[in-house]
């Protein structure tokens, strides 16, 4: 069967976070806080990393470390347990002497205490032979990948771009760039591992318990049912915990070595800048040809990104340009350089975040070039159908978002000319940008419902709540799908012993898991009726739900006010507003948090985040939160979000679409557009730090 | 982290004796800087002598001004009514530093002696002359946004990170130091050194000398003092550059001015040439800009920190404008 839409009763209400109390009282147990579940005191692991970007490990001299009274062993590529499959070089830690980037795991110290493990790591001497390394995207050789992240085509070409461009009365050709950015969730990557009787148990900080098990098991040479992964509480991930990374394999190998004794590993903040993924630097070359009235006739987005020679990652930067605006000719492409650097991965809204940054600053450039109001310009380029597929949209309400936002923000009072308002020592400006995110859906999710005594139900699915509120929202979905109160549901999550769930990523979690729960609830009622005997159960797996003949997307409009100090170039953002069309909002409280968080992260990217990867060494040297700045409280001022009344039953039976990522999309562009409006200085590279405006 | 012993001396003399007699011993104040360094392996002492419980925790009024015990926490010092009224620039500088939690923990002496935030200094896998003399300086050709532009050497271009120290230099403060041979006084302006060939040497203190107090002279100029810090984010960021200033205007011209900069050198930088250029002049933005340029005559910048020239004009103008009785003409 396929799920059917169902009545919203709890959905749409602000049910308190069901795990709120555990979290604020410190009782929620994170990945290295499971000692109560262990029958033996764990060993502590510490990672030793390479200090050359390319080359070989000649010898790991552990003598001094082993002389430390509390150090138990030092594992390196000569003595670590062997993997059955080493194709994935990011995960094949300690399997050979090759060094693929600076900061790669080259040894693991195991000790009785965390302090001794750290000191042991300091005492390990790693003799390395350095080879020539290529670590800088600037001037690097690039290649056209086969596909981009998310399985998107790497390049597309519709209509005759060259002819349309040549004929365009208005031509805009500019380059926009975003730097290396790091996810930096509050809880660093961490895990507790226990290897016993040939099976691995992992308490992991991950966004996908089944994903970790299905990736690690074949590499470890054991069947997947011998790997159990649990992730009851996660201190954020923003995509960096969506896929397993080297540290998870390192702790699994350490546990295998320790056979029977648990091992704990917490990655340091500094190590997270080498081992747990990041947003690649992106350089977007845009060419936009338009009529004098602003209508786009030719649009080209050519994106270049940094990838790693260890493992390919292609940020799908040019993908949003394929569907965002009407253009009779449209060309997109991706190229990457395979450098001797850490492996990039997912960071909140991969593709959309840097891609829409480029496109939406370009739209402001075009507004300036044609003298058309930025909102009006976007309206004039509103497509009738999806430019990429020709399909109708499910629910494209971008223009309504722009209009509603303009009203709320007071857009009509905006001076058309830049550099028009000086308030004290601050230049003041406002800017706008569109946001979009696909309504992603991952098939293959399984949910199980068991009738309990007293009209209660146990609902189980292996989904992970990485801190977003999934536990609460899934409870609401389950309650409404079964037609009972949320209190009647016992929800079990985040364990591979539960039915299979896909990753909490791509804003697909609630949609995909929720659909599985809804489908199972409906099947359960069909199987067992309204008054089931305790003990009866139903399990179903989704293969699809969303309409296949519509283009399914969410939209939004972001408005920013920026103030730039005329003497120091300091930039402050007193007001930020996002208006979204995201389908039904299942829980206004957790949804608001997601959108506010997305806006904050977009603000952070606009003004602060900038990892400096040293071209001589190949690693990021701004590797802590004092030198890699994320927005602090004082930066986040009047932040407002609103959403349109929406129900999108083409996307999910709940009528909802995902909301985890859209808040970061377009936000940096709106802020930079506002800063340009304030100062008359156009900035096309993130971030806009004071030095950009002060000179 | 290297294993170490932790000691709590009963008296200042005992603390001094313990550290003086042991090259491997360090004083521990609030620990917000030193403990990070222990974890990172930047500092590997064998003995920590915790001075934070010694009875130097009062702000006292003296005949000539204020006497601040080294263990007065940054937050308490910033909030002290006498400081706020008599030396408002110091209060502002303290509040511009770090975060509420850190200021609650950080001590006066520890703040003065906190070490550079140069990213290579803190990363033991990269060469750094300050951490490992003779190994080379990674910052000169590397991440250069925070590099110094005044008083630099080929060995080191690091900046001193303290906001408080910049204000203390502008306000002519003195540190009181206890050594094995007794007490001595050093102007804060002479406490920190330029890197020269020995960036590992950062102050004029001998190993084992303990800062017990900071003394602030009372002046009318200090009452009109302020601090302006330019930084990337609105709080919780080290200065790109900063200015501590005190100003008196008489008959429409600058009668007296004190000016010190942060984020420009290995020490808090007293901008005496700029002060000289401003004295006797009407306070106009153009005059301030030329005075700043005068101070920067010997500055050496690269592409990554050249912005600091313009930014120094900006923060100096912003700071002085705040103190001017009437609007500063542009
Ligand atoms: C994330 C972060 C952000 C920060 N931002 C800022 C900022 O914006 N501006 C700013 O100014 N600071 C900032 N700081 C630094 C902070 O101000 C210092 O860490 C703090 O002032 C140090 O004081 P402490 O008492 O903790 O020193 P400790 O760490 O205890 O000691 C520092 C040094 O001083 C020595 N020492 C301490 N007391 C004495 C004494 N009485 N006599 C002799 N030697 C002594 C110690 O041996 C050690 O070498 C920041 C720190 C952090 C971690
Ligand atoms: S600037 Fe100074 S502290 Fe920084 S790397 Fe060079 S020598 Fe070390």
């Amino acid at each position: 069967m396929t799920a059917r839409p169902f009545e919203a009763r709890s959905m749409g209400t602000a049910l308190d976070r069901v795990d709120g109390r555990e979290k604020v009282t410190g009782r929620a147990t994170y990945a290295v806080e499971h000692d109560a579940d262990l029958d033996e005191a764990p060993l502590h692991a510490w990672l030793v990393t390479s200090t050359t970007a390319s080359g070989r490990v000649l010898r790991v001299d552990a003598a001094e470390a082993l002389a430390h009274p509390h150090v138990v062993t030092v594992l390196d590529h000569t003595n670590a347990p062997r993997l059955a499959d080493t194709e994935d070089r990011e995960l094949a830690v300690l399997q050979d002497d090759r060094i693929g980037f600076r900061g790669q795991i080259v040894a693991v110290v195991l000790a009785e205490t965390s302090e001794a493990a750290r000191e042991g790591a300091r005492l390990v001497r790693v003799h390395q032979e350095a080879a020539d390394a290529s670590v800088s995207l600037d001037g690097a050789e690039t290649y056209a990948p086969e596909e981009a992240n998310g399985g998107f085509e790497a390049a597309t070409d519709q209509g005759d771009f060259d002819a349309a461009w040549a004929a365009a009365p208005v031509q805009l050709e500019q380059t926009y760039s975003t730097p290396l950015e790091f996810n930096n969730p509050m809880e660093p990557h961490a895990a507790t591992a226990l290897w016993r009787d040939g099976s691995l148990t992992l308490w992991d900080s991950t966004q996908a318990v089944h994903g970790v098990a299905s990736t690690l098991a074949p590499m470890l040479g054991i069947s997947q049912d011998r790997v159990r992964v649990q992730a009851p509480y996660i201190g954020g991930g923003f995509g960096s915990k969506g896929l397993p990374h080297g540290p998870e394999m390192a702790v699994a190998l350490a546990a295998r070595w320790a056979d029977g004794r648990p091992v704990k590993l917490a990655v340091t903040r500094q190590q997270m800048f080498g081992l747990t993924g990041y947003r690649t630097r992106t350089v977007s070359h845009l060419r936009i040809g338009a009529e004098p009235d602003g209508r786009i006739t030719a649009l080209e987005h050519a994106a270049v990104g940094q990838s790693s020679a260890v493992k390919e990652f292609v940020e799908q930067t040019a993908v949003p340009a394929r569907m965002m605006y009407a253009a009779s000719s449209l060309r997109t492409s991706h190229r990457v350089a395979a450098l001797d650097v850490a492996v990039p991965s997912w960071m909140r809204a991969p593709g959309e975040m840097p891609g829409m940054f480029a496109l939406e600053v370009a739209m402001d450039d075009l507004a300036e070039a044609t003298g058309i109001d930025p909102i009006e310009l976007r309206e004039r380029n509103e497509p009738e159908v999806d430019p990429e597929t020709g399909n109708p949209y499910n629910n494209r309400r971008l223009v309504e978002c722009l209009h509603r936002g303009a009203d709320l923000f007071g857009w009509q009072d905006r001076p058309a000319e830049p550099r028009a308002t000086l308030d004290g020592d601050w230049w003041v400006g406002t800017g706008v940008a569109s946001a979009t995110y696909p309504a992603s859906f991952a098939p293959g999710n399984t949910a199980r419902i068991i009738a309990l005594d007293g009209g209660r139900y146990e609902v189980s699915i292996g989904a992970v709540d990485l801190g977003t509120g999934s536990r609460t929202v899934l409870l609401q979905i389950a309650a409404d799908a079964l037609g009972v109160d949320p209190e009647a549901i016992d929800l079990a999550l985040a364990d591979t012993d539960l039915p299979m769930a896909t990753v909490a990523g791509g804003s697909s979690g609630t949609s995909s898991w929720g659909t599985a729960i809804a489908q199972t609830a409906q099947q359960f009622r069909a199987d067992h009726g309204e008054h089931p005997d305790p003990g009866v159960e139903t399990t179903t797996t989704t293969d699809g739900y969303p309409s296949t003949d519509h283009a399914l997307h969410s939209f939004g409009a972001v408005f920013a006010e920026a103030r730039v100090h005329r003497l120091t170039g300091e930039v402050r953002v007193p007001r930020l507003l996002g208006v979204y069309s995201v389908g039904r909002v299942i829980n206004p409280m957790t949804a608001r948090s997601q959108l506010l968080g997305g806006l904050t992260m977009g603000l952070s990217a606009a003004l602060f985040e900038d990892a400096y990867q040293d071209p001589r060494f190949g690693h990021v040297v701004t590797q802590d939160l004092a030198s890699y700045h994320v927005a602090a409280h004082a930066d986040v001022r009047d932040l407002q979000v609103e959403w349109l009344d929406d129900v999108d039953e083409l996307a999910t039976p709940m009528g909802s679409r995902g909301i985890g990522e859209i808040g970061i999309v377009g936000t940096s562009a709106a802020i930079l557009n506002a800063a340009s409006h304030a100062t008359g200085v156009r900035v096309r590279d993130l971030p806009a730090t004071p030095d950009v405006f002060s000179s | 982290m290297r294993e170490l012993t932790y000691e709590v001396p009963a008296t200042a003399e005992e603390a001094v004796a313990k550290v003086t007699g042991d090259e491997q011993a360090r004083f521990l104040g609030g620990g917000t800087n030193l403990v990070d360094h222990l974890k990172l392996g930047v500092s590997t002492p064998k003995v920590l002598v915790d001075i934070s419980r010694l009875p130097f925790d009062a702000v006292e009024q003296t005949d000539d001004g204020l006497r601040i015990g080294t263990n007065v926490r940054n937050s308490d010092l910033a909030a002290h009514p006498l400081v706020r009224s008599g030396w408002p620039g110091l209060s502002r500088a303290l509040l511009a530093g770090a975060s509420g939690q850190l200021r609650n923990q950080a001590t006066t002496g520890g703040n003065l002696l906190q070490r550079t935030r140069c990213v290579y200094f803190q990363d033991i896998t990269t060469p750094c002359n300050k951490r490992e003399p003779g190994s080379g300086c990674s910052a000169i050709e590397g991440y250069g946004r925070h590099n110094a532009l005044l008083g630099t050497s080929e060995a080191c271009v690091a900046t001193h990170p303290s906001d408080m120290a910049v204000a203390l230099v502008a306000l002519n403060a003195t540190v009181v130091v206890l050594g094995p041979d007794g007490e001595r006084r050093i102007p804060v302006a002479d406490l920190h050194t330029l890197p020269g060939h020995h960036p590992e040497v950062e102050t004029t203190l001998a190993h084992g000398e303990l800062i017990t107090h900071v003394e602030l002279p009372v002046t009318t100029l200090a009452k009109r003092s302020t601090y302006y810090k330019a930084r990337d984010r609105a709080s919780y960021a080290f200065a790109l550059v900063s200015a501590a200033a005190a100003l008196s205007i008489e008959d429409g011209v600058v009668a007296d001015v004190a000016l010190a900069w942060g984020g420009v050198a290995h020490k808090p930088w007293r901008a005496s040439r700029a002060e000289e250029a401003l004295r006797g002049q009407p306070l106009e933005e153009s005059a301030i800009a030329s005075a700043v340029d005068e101070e920067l005559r010997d500055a050496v910048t690269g592409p990554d920190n050249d912005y600091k020239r313009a930014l120094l004009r900006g923060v100096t103008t912003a700071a002085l404008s705040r103190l001017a009785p009437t609007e500063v003409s542009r």
Side-chain angles (χ1 to χ4, degrees):
Chain A
M1 75 177 284
T2 306
R4 298 176 309 276
F6 54 99
E7 192 192 340
R9 291 177 14 178
S10 179
M11 291 194 299
T13 67
L15 182 68
D16 279 347
R17 272 178 192 261
V18 290
D19 50 7
R21 188 173 293 271
E22 278 72 51
K23 288 191 170 177
V24 299
T25 55
R27 275 179 297 153
T29 44
Y30 291 87
V32 286
E33 300 176 334
H34 293 283
D35 289 17
D37 298 320
L38 307 175
D39 54 14
E40 203 178 337
L43 284 170
H44 296 262
W46 207 273
L47 304 176
V48 180
T49 58
S50 67
T51 54
T52 181
S54 176
R56 288 190 315 125
V57 177
L58 297 174
R59 193 165 59 82
V60 173
D61 177 356
E64 257 190 275
L66 291 170
H68 190 291
H70 302 306
V71 169
V72 174
T73 195
V74 177
L75 298 176
D76 63 26
H77 65 282
T78 64
N79 62 353
R82 295 297 95 188
L83 291 172
D85 172 359
T86 57
E87 186 140 351
D88 184 328
R89 280 188 63 201
E90 183 193 11
L91 293 177
V93 301
L94 304 183
Q95 297 302 299
D96 59 39
D97 63 355
R98 285 182 296 170
I99 297 173
F101 61 93
R102 187 169 173 134
Q104 175 188 311
I105 301 167
V106 290
V108 178
V109 177
L110 295 182
E112 296 292 343
T113 65
S114 146
E115 291 79 7
R118 185 169 210 168
E119 176 63 0
R122 195 177 71 82
L123 295 173
V124 170
R125 299 277 163 271
V126 183
H127 301 276
Q128 300 156 72
E129 179 183 78
D132 279 349
S134 163
V135 299
S136 186
L137 182 58
D138 298 313
E141 200 179 308
T142 60
Y143 67 94
E146 275 176 25
E147 61 174 35
N149 175 51
F152 291 99
E153 280 178 273
T156 59
D157 207 347
Q158 284 174 275
D160 187 344
F161 173 82
D162 292 323
W165 166 256
V170 181
Q171 291 184 330
L172 177 84
E173 182 167 8
Q174 287 293 353
T175 300
Y176 307 83
S177 75
T178 66
L180 296 189
E181 294 170 349
F182 285 78
N183 315 51
N184 275 314
M186 186 123 66
E187 182 198 23
H189 293 64
T192 303
L194 173 64
W195 190 284
R196 195 169 277 173
D197 306 326
S199 292
L200 173 69
T201 305
L202 207 58
W203 289 265
D204 197 4
S205 188
T206 177
Q207 296 170 226
V209 289
H210 287 95
V212 170
S214 64
T215 308
L216 298 197
M219 292 187 73
L220 290 164
I222 55 179
S223 63
Q224 195 180 324
D225 58 13
R226 290 192 159 270
V227 178
R228 180 174 180 196
V229 183
Q230 290 157 274
Y233 294 96
I234 309 298
F238 308 116
S240 69
K241 296 171 182 170
L243 298 165
H245 297 292
E248 274 139 311
M249 187 60 91
V251 74
L253 289 175
R256 189 170 207 167
W257 178 88
D259 203 8
R261 180 141 183 218
V263 180
K264 294 212 283 199
L265 170 68
V267 174
T268 65
R269 185 64 65 185
Q270 285 83 0
Q271 289 168 344
M272 287 171 71
F273 284 78
L275 290 172
T276 58
Y278 59 97
R279 192 192 308 284
T280 168
R281 179 169 144 77
T282 71
V283 181
S284 289
H285 303 285
L286 267 87
R287 285 197 285 171
I288 304 182
E291 296 294 335
D293 68 0
R295 275 181 305 119
I296 299 171
T297 52
L299 172 58
E300 179 185 49
H301 189 158
V304 179
Q306 164 171 322
S307 181
S308 168
V310 167
K311 183 158 145 183
E312 185 183 81
F313 182 83
V314 181
E315 179 108 4
Q316 70 273 35
T317 308
V319 166
R322 295 175 187 168
M323 51 63 64
M324 198 58 209
Y325 296 113
S328 44
S329 70
L330 225 166
R331 183 189 279 169
T332 65
S333 65
H334 297 84
R335 295 186 72 83
V336 288
L339 303 175
D340 303 311
V341 298
V343 182
S345 185
W346 300 337
M347 178 161 164
R348 206 171 198 172
E352 276 73 19
M353 191 276 165
M356 287 294 282
F357 164 72
L359 186 58
E360 292 301 297
V361 178
M363 287 300 277
D364 216 54
D365 268 325
L366 183 62
E368 203 175 293
T370 53
I372 298 168
D373 175 80
I375 293 180
E376 174 66 28
L377 177 71
R378 286 170 173 85
E379 278 187 67
R380 289 188 192 173
N381 286 291
E382 188 61 5
E384 297 276 312
V385 294
D386 176 23
E388 192 177 14
T389 58
N391 285 339
Y393 279 103
N394 51 332
N395 186 19
R396 182 172 170 129
R397 300 176 70 187
L398 172 61
V399 173
E400 280 169 82
C401 292
L402 286 163
H403 287 178
R404 176 70 185 144
D407 284 348
L408 288 171
F409 202 72
W411 187 258
Q412 62 284 355
D413 304 330
R414 177 188 202 245
E417 289 303 307
R419 208 178 175 83
T421 312
L422 186 64
D423 178 10
D425 284 331
W426 296 86
W427 291 108
V428 185
T430 51
V432 66
S434 305
T436 188
Y437 202 80
S440 321
F441 179 87
N445 280 280
T446 305
R448 182 179 63 220
I449 298 178
I450 305 177
L452 305 175
D453 285 332
R456 301 185 59 75
Y457 298 86
E458 184 185 288
V459 178
S460 313
I461 184 163
V464 171
D465 182 342
L466 73 150
T468 54
S470 308
R471 192 174 266 121
T472 309
V473 166
L474 293 181
L475 195 69
Q476 293 178 275
I477 293 172
D480 286 0
L482 283 167
V484 299
D485 289 336
E487 298 76 56
I489 308 253
D490 291 341
L491 182 68
L493 291 185
D495 186 338
T496 49
D497 277 0
L498 301 175
M500 146 64 202
T502 51
V503 62
S507 300
S508 70
T510 303
S511 300
S512 312
W513 312 323
T515 301
I517 289 172
Q519 176 183 302
T520 305
Q522 290 163 355
Q523 186 64 49
F524 179 94
R525 288 294 183 220
D527 292 349
H528 310 296
E530 293 298 320
H531 304 286
D533 293 331
V536 299
E537 65 175 88
T538 294
T539 301
T540 76
T541 301
T542 56
D543 58 12
Y545 173 87
S547 162
T548 47
D549 38 52
H550 287 81
L552 303 165
H553 297 270
S554 283
F555 291 92
V558 190
F559 292 78
E561 176 182 323
R563 297 168 80 87
V564 181
H565 198 284
R566 75 172 175 96
L567 294 167
T568 65
E570 289 168 286
V571 190
R572 304 289 178 248
V573 177
R575 286 197 298 150
L576 204 51
L577 164 73
V579 177
Y580 298 98
S581 158
V582 289
R584 187 198 304 282
V585 165
I586 297 175
N587 183 321
M589 181 163 54
T590 54
R592 209 177 108 80
S593 296
Q594 282 302 297
L595 296 169
L596 290 176
L599 286 171
T600 304
M601 216 161 168
L603 164 77
S604 191
L607 303 183
F608 314 120
E609 296 191 37
D610 188 6
Y612 183 84
Q613 184 184 283
D614 195 305
R616 301 161 303 171
F617 303 124
H619 71 306
V620 169
V621 296
T622 50
Q623 50 187 334
D624 58 36
L625 294 177
S627 52
Y628 180 89
H629 286 160
V630 299
H633 285 92
D635 299 302
V636 182
R637 307 290 287 274
D638 179 6
L639 218 61
Q640 302 283 341
V641 293
E642 202 187 273
W643 45 80
L644 306 181
D645 245 339
D646 252 348
V647 178
D648 183 1
E649 289 173 350
L650 294 172
T652 67
M654 293 76 72
S656 62
R657 298 191 293 266
I659 48 159
E661 282 153 290
I662 193 168
I664 195 177
V665 180
T667 308
S668 309
I671 291 168
L672 260 61
N673 291 344
S676 298
H677 182 242
T679 58
V681 178
R682 174 64 68 186
V683 181
R684 300 186 179 88
D685 307 297
L686 290 180
T689 44
D691 35 329
V692 171
F693 295 101
S694 70
S695 29
Chain B
M1 179 168 150
R2 184 164 168 184
E3 279 183 17
L4 46 75
T5 54
Y6 169 82
E7 301 188 7
V8 183
T11 63
E13 288 70 19
E14 188 189 331
V16 170
K18 279 197 149 74
V19 176
T20 309
D22 185 350
E23 263 308 309
Q24 299 276 353
R26 295 283 180 282
F27 295 124
L28 177 70
T32 60
N33 191 224
L34 183 53
V35 172
D36 275 359
H37 289 166
L38 299 180
K39 291 197 257 179
L40 294 170
V42 169
S43 183
T44 52
K46 283 196 176 147
V47 182
L48 285 188
V49 177
D50 186 347
I51 53 155
S52 69
R53 298 173 203 191
L54 294 176
F56 304 123
D57 51 5
V59 178
E60 301 154 281
Q61 202 160 14
T62 61
D63 292 345
D64 326 311
L66 275 194
R67 188 173 153 87
I68 301 157
T70 185
N71 287 328
V72 174
R73 305 287 157 158
N74 289 178
S75 43
D76 293 332
L77 186 56
H80 199 283
L82 289 175
V83 175
R84 293 182 53 166
S85 59
W87 297 266
L90 174 59
S91 191
R92 277 186 183 256
L94 282 159
L95 292 175
S99 66
Q101 295 93 326
L102 283 159
R103 294 194 294 269
N104 286 340
Q105 180 70 13
T107 63
T108 310
N111 188 318
L112 273 174
L113 297 183
Q114 63 173 298
R115 306 191 68 193
T116 183
R117 305 304 293 201
C118 172
V119 295
Y120 303 101
F121 174 68
Q122 297 179 89
D123 178 350
I124 62 168
T125 72
T126 58
C128 167
N129 285 327
K130 182 184 283 297
R131 185 170 25 76
E132 222 181 303
S135 63
C137 170
S138 296
I140 292 176
E141 311 242 297
Y143 178 59
R145 211 169 155 248
H146 293 276
N147 287 357
L149 59 162
L150 286 170
T152 55
S153 74
E154 277 168 24
C156 179
V157 292
T159 55
H160 192 265
S162 167
D163 291 300
M164 180 190 78
V166 178
L168 290 181
V169 163
L171 297 169
N172 296 322
T174 301
V175 286
V176 183
V177 173
L178 183 68
D181 305 325
E183 209 172 82
R184 66 181 180 121
R185 281 178 166 65
I186 312 169
V188 177
D190 299 333
L191 176 65
H192 302 93
T193 54
L194 290 176
H197 297 301
H198 290 286
E200 73 281 8
V201 178
E202 295 171 348
T203 67
T204 49
L205 298 180
H207 180 72
E209 278 191 306
L210 176 75
I211 295 179
T212 59
H213 297 88
V214 169
E215 291 177 345
L216 271 176
V218 67
T219 63
T220 39
L221 190 65
K223 271 186 183 301
R224 287 198 71 76
S225 60
T226 192
Y227 189 73
Y228 194 101
K229 176 177 179 180
R231 46 185 152 176
D232 289 332
R233 55 184 175 193
S235 76
Y236 207 7
F238 287 93
L240 295 167
V241 300
S242 65
L247 178 72
S248 94
I249 300 267
E250 278 167 30
D251 306 327
V253 299
V254 174
D256 200 5
V257 61
L259 190 59
W261 287 339
V264 303
H266 201 250
K267 57 189 283 191
W269 190 266
R270 183 77 187 240
S272 332
R273 282 190 203 162
E275 290 174 0
E276 202 43 52
L278 284 170
R279 284 199 189 96
Q281 302 286 322
L283 196 69
E284 291 171 356
E285 286 195 5
S286 56
I288 299 171
S290 341
V292 168
D293 290 346
E294 178 60 23
E295 187 70 44
L296 290 177
R297 222 175 348 142
D298 306 326
V300 181
T301 53
D304 291 347
N305 67 347
D306 197 52
Y307 75 93
K308 287 191 175 184
R309 293 174 188 270
L311 197 50
L312 280 165
R313 284 179 218 119
V315 297
T316 307
T317 308
L320 290 172
S321 305
R322 228 189 236 164
L323 300 171
T326 55
E327 196 164 329
V328 176
S329 63
R330 291 190 190 162

